[in-house]
Amino acid sequence: MTQIQNDARSELKLQQEQFLDALLGLAPCPAELDAKQVQTCGNSLINKRSRYIENVLSSKNIVVTADIKAELLNYFKKYASVHTDGFRADAKRFLAYRRTCHFMNRVRTKFRSQSNQ
Amino acid sequence: MVADAVAAAAAVAEGSQMSERTAIGIGWRPEIAWCIQQRKDLEFVEIVFENWMRKDLPAPLLDLRSREIDIIPHAISLSLGGADRPDVDKLRKLDAMAKQLHAPFVSDHIAFVRAGGKESGHLLPVPRTEKALKVVIENVSIAREHLSVPLALENIAMLCDWKNSEMDEAEFLSRILNATDSLLLLDVANLYANSLNHKFDAIDFLHRLPLDRIAYVHVAGGQTCDGVYHDTHAHGVPQGVYDLLGELNAMTNLPRVMLERDDSFPDGSAINKELDAIASVLSVESKSPGTGSCGTTNRNRVGAREVRPSQGSIQ
């Protein structure tokens, strides 16, 4: 029984990993799923993540500009899946990512201006 | 054994004098706490377990408990349909919350939310095969072993589905419920979404479920985008969902029905209208603020058929 269960778990694990990777745009859609449906579901996930993070930003009185939307897309490229602790942690991670990006941009700008002098 | 959960559901209903009519509830969210606080006919609320797993429950929620309003912890991340066995630590925390709140039961979904160390952020469908069925049944059994209250399992909305399924969702769900003696959290909005997107008969689906296992029912809104219906919980409840609820109500005695709203929260009057519409479908008198029923018992059994719009509802 346990062996059967373990085999079933292994098979399910592989199916679910392939599904999730396709959903997150990390791998092609497996044959057992419809590519168009997976894409719709993946877009829905992106929208859900965006909405959650934008709500957090709004609660911090940060206006969601086109620049922030672009940062969000870059963030989703870097972190394809939601934080393992959920959406709230995902939003916190985005804020940390954004701070790091801004800091790096400032360093680059300063470096360039010093190089030009 | 098989009848245990059904008997437990009946006992819960009888204990709260709900055996002959339906209790109405709502998903408690901080954004609409003030609206919930003032609505006097609500008999239960549902909270998202994960939102409060690591912090103290808020005062307005505990106040509801002091008014003998049942609070049901609803989990979204146990991943009972996942390849891994459920996290025992999380199950213990869920059980502790259920005990703290004197919850009649807890709930989660037949879905998976993580695989290969990645979180989906979405409730995803399990391939409905005999092998997967065994895994889910074992996962649910493990969960039940760690819970001191019954577990209700919810059907999910699926934007994508497996082509290699060996059975349909009604059979898959029924076999899990019967094998694990679990209760059913029937989401009519999810069923409505699936019946539209995957083109099947929702009424036929309902006929094939063990309806005597229903612990409660979810009602929620959504919208159609590019020909696909999305169960967003951020838009109004479409008439089709109310119609399905009406059909279900005609088929069985529903113990509890609740409204879910998770985003784009409208003003209080819109929430009250949706609760009133649910009450109307179920033929339960509505007692939203301003109807003169505030402060009266919330256990009255009533049978008014007509819609009672909220007068002076909270804005």
Side-chain angles (χ1 to χ4, degrees):
Chain A
M1 178 67 178
T2 306
Q3 187 54 44
I4 292 169
Q5 218 81 299
N6 287 340
D7 289 348
R9 282 190 187 276
S10 301
E11 191 176 318
L12 188 60
K13 189 180 172 70
L14 185 65
Q15 286 175 315
Q16 293 184 337
E17 281 178 11
Q18 287 176 342
F19 180 5
L20 192 47
D21 282 348
L23 187 73
L24 300 174
L26 302 171
C29 181
E32 298 97 324
L33 291 154
D34 181 291
K36 195 178 167 193
Q37 286 182 0
V38 170
Q39 192 180 12
T40 302
C41 192
N43 291 341
S44 175
L45 172 59
I46 292 282
N47 289 337
K48 193 172 165 184
R49 282 181 83 184
S50 298
R51 267 203 319 274
Y52 195 97
I53 293 172
E54 286 172 15
N55 284 344
V56 170
L57 294 174
S58 297
S59 72
K60 294 178 180 296
N61 295 321
I62 300 171
V63 179
V64 182
T65 59
D67 284 350
I68 290 185
K69 284 184 186 285
E71 285 172 356
L72 267 173
L73 291 179
N74 288 333
Y75 170 73
F76 294 149
K77 276 181 197 158
K78 185 172 169 65
Y79 298 98
S81 66
V82 175
H83 193 287
T84 49
D85 286 339
F87 280 99
R88 197 168 297 180
D90 199 40
K92 271 188 185 172
R93 186 172 63 183
F94 170 70
L95 290 171
Y97 164 82
R98 194 164 171 258
R99 277 194 298 272
T100 307
C101 288
H102 287 197
F103 173 75
M104 292 306 291
N105 283 343
R106 279 199 301 274
V107 170
R108 276 190 211 106
T109 307
K110 195 174 177 182
F111 180 74
R112 274 193 213 111
S113 65
Q114 283 175 347
S115 301
N116 290 340
Q117 282 169 5
Chain B
M1 169 67 179
V2 173
D4 282 358
V6 178
V12 165
E14 198 172 331
S16 57
Q17 301 171 20
M18 294 188 304
S19 54
E20 292 180 37
R21 62 160 179 79
T22 308
I24 294 181
I26 190 167
W28 191 91
R29 306 289 181 266
E31 293 87 344
I32 52 172
W34 55 275
C35 174
I36 296 171
Q37 193 78 18
Q38 294 183 55
R39 178 114 188 175
K40 301 299 177 190
D41 61 342
L42 298 177
E43 292 184 65
F44 75 103
V45 296
E46 181 198 70
I47 56 168
V48 177
F49 157 68
E50 286 79 359
N51 289 352
W52 305 102
M53 188 171 68
R54 295 189 184 91
K55 51 187 176 183
D56 292 337
L57 292 167
L61 192 64
L62 296 174
D63 180 56
L64 293 179
R65 184 71 202 103
S66 69
R67 281 165 48 189
E68 296 190 353
I69 292 174
D70 286 336
I71 301 173
I72 299 166
H74 179 56
I76 55 174
S77 68
L78 294 179
S79 204
L80 295 171
D84 296 326
R85 289 176 176 83
D87 179 348
V88 170
D89 183 52
K90 198 175 266 187
L91 285 167
R92 288 193 180 122
K93 285 180 177 143
L94 177 59
D95 191 50
M97 187 182 285
K99 283 178 177 161
Q100 183 192 356
L101 295 169
H102 305 284
F105 44 77
V106 294
S107 56
D108 200 338
H109 308 77
I110 295 298
F112 77 99
V113 299
R114 67 185 66 87
K118 299 182 195 84
E119 287 289 318
S120 69
H122 244 26
L123 296 157
L124 299 173
V126 183
R128 293 184 301 275
T129 61
E130 291 290 343
K131 281 185 179 176
L133 184 70
K134 284 178 187 159
V135 173
V136 180
I137 286 172
E138 189 182 67
N139 287 350
V140 174
S141 301
I142 291 169
R144 291 215 54 205
E145 281 168 20
H146 291 86
L147 295 169
S148 55
V149 292
L151 172 65
L153 300 171
E154 180 180 354
N155 57 310
I156 63 163
M158 298 179 279
L159 285 173
C160 46
D161 198 9
W162 296 86
K163 292 180 191 169
N164 61 338
S165 289
E166 294 163 8
M167 62 195 92
D168 69 6
E169 195 193 358
E171 181 183 346
F172 194 67
L173 199 53
S174 300
R175 287 177 67 181
I176 294 164
L177 294 171
N178 291 331
T180 61
D181 191 25
S182 297
L183 297 174
L184 172 60
L185 161 49
L186 183 56
D187 191 317
V188 288
N190 288 348
L191 173 55
Y192 173 75
N194 291 343
S195 70
L196 285 182
N197 294 337
H198 301 289
K199 297 177 177 50
F200 64 85
D201 184 348
I203 306 297
D204 174 62
F205 182 99
L206 289 177
H207 277 293
R208 294 175 51 233
L209 291 178
L211 299 180
D212 56 342
R213 289 189 178 275
I214 291 179
Y216 64 124
V217 175
H218 274 174
V219 173
Q223 70 168 357
T224 302
C225 188
D226 295 330
V228 177
Y229 182 82
H230 294 257
D231 174 61
T232 60
H233 296 194
H235 299 84
V237 179
Q239 187 56 44
V241 172
Y242 289 125
D243 292 345
L244 201 49
L245 177 66
E247 295 282 352
L248 176 64
N249 188 48
M251 289 163 70
T252 189
N253 182 25
L254 299 173
R256 301 167 192 255
V257 176
M258 59 159 275
L259 176 67
E260 278 188 300
R261 185 83 184 202
D262 292 324
D263 204 352
S264 303
F265 294 97
D267 61 21
S269 64
I271 299 257
N272 278 322
K273 272 183 192 165
E274 293 198 329
L275 287 167
D276 288 344
I278 290 172
S280 173
V281 169
L282 300 169
S283 305
V284 176
E285 186 183 21
S286 166
K287 292 187 285 293
S288 53
T291 57
S293 304
C294 295
T296 60
T297 173
N298 64 355
R299 299 288 188 196
N300 293 341
R301 185 144 52 86
V302 290
R305 276 264 162 208
E306 76 276 20
V307 181
R308 299 272 307 266
S310 318
Q311 296 167 22
S313 298
I314 318 149
Q315 298 297 319

